[in-house]
Amino acid sequence: MSDRHPTETTDEMRQAMDTARRQGLQKDLRALAAHIRADAEDQYAGAEPGWQAGVEWALWWIENTASQLTEDRP
């Protein structure tokens, strides 16, 4: 950046960067959940008792975390 044209980072710019970062993380978490779900569905038939419940809980936690990233945010 040139010293002749200094750029100040405004609150709006910070907020936009934070929102973009949160949306990117949210997208990544939801993609992870989709991959886990797809891989796990093939394994359910031969799985030990309780395994499916553990996977479902992990998927719930990932989705809940992803949802909270943009909840109550402008």
Side-chain angles (χ1 to χ4, degrees):
M1 193 170 292
S2 170
D3 289 334
R4 291 180 14 206
H5 301 287
T7 302
E8 182 179 329
T9 304
T10 65
D11 288 338
E12 291 81 18
M13 292 169 74
R14 284 187 192 94
Q15 185 176 11
M17 289 185 292
D18 182 57
T19 298
R21 186 173 35 249
R22 287 174 180 277
Q23 288 173 342
L25 182 54
Q26 186 179 54
K27 181 180 175 183
D28 290 347
L29 284 170
R30 289 197 167 129
L32 173 63
H35 286 292
I36 291 171
R37 185 175 292 110
D39 288 344
E41 286 175 353
D42 294 335
Q43 305 297 320
Y44 284 157
E48 295 180 23
W51 186 84
Q52 182 176 357
V55 170
E56 293 298 327
W57 180 89
L59 292 172
W60 170 84
W61 186 87
I62 292 169
E63 290 291 343
N64 189 45
T65 301
S67 294
Q68 290 177 5
L69 288 169
T70 55
E71 205 171 77
D72 296 321
R73 301 223 180 246

